[in-house]
Amino acid sequence: GLVGSEMCIRDRRDVSLHLKPGTSLALVGENGSGKTTLIKLLTRLYQPDSGRILLDGLDLPRYVILAGVLVCLILLGCFLDVIAIIFVTTPVLFPVMQQLGFHPVWYGIMTMMVVEFGAVTPPIGMNVFIVRTVIVDIALWPIFRGVMPFVAADVLALLILLSFPILALGLL
């Protein structure tokens, strides 16, 4: 029920925070009203004792969330510098991945691998532009094509490390 200007949903099981796809949400309220707590619950920074957090009606498994994060990091790697991506995303994503139960070192290895994929893939591929400045008589696209077998090998290595995390953590 409502208590003053605060809403108490602590012991309520019939409360739904379902948002239909395409709807907008604005969190407005006084300081201390729980806006940050709600966002932390939705992003799984807090693990509730009971209940579920659904995204578009789906209870997402942790590996689906990891896959989405890795795809976003690959896309960022296509346009931004690796160090900038790490500085911007790690404070947000690292605690989430820890809460989801992923080993911190393993997640760090996965992050570095996928960000480096983006550094050699079109449209920007900053490492390819560096090679282009050294070898000026070759166009960019042949260099991108030459890098693709190595990216394919890295994707295979990523899939192996996703399947067998102990390979990345064996010496710890």
Side-chain angles (χ1 to χ4, degrees), residues 19-159:
L19 296 173
K20 294 180 181 176
T23 58
S24 297
L25 172 69
L27 297 176
V28 180
E30 297 176 7
N31 288 341
S33 63
K35 299 180 300 289
T36 303
T37 302
L38 177 62
I39 294 301
K40 287 181 179 180
L41 282 169
L42 291 173
T43 57
R44 296 187 180 194
L45 292 176
Y46 290 153
Q47 290 292 327
D49 294 339
S50 62
R52 297 182 302 166
I53 298 174
L54 305 175
L55 179 64
D56 287 338
L58 299 173
D59 191 6
L60 296 178
R62 67 189 199 132
Y63 281 100
V64 171
I65 295 171
L66 176 67
V69 166
L70 293 180
V71 167
C72 288
L73 289 172
I74 290 171
L75 293 175
L76 285 173
C78 291
F79 297 101
L80 298 174
D81 179 48
V82 172
I83 298 298
I85 296 168
I86 299 302
F87 281 158
V88 170
T89 62
T90 299
V92 176
L93 296 177
F94 188 75
V96 173
M97 293 298 125
Q98 279 190 302
Q99 284 295 111
L100 289 174
F102 294 112
H103 193 281
V105 172
W106 179 81
Y107 172 70
I109 291 169
M110 298 295 105
T111 299
M112 290 308 299
M113 286 181 74
V114 298
V115 170
E116 288 296 334
F117 292 168
V120 295
T121 55
I124 304 298
M126 289 176 41
N127 290 354
V128 174
F129 278 94
I130 292 170
V131 170
R132 174 68 170 90
T133 61
V134 174
I135 307 171
V136 293
D137 57 335
I138 297 177
L140 277 176
W141 285 109
I143 298 172
F144 277 122
R145 279 195 306 271
V147 167
M148 286 305 130
F150 296 100
V151 173
D154 280 344
V155 169
L156 179 63
L158 178 73
L159 293 174

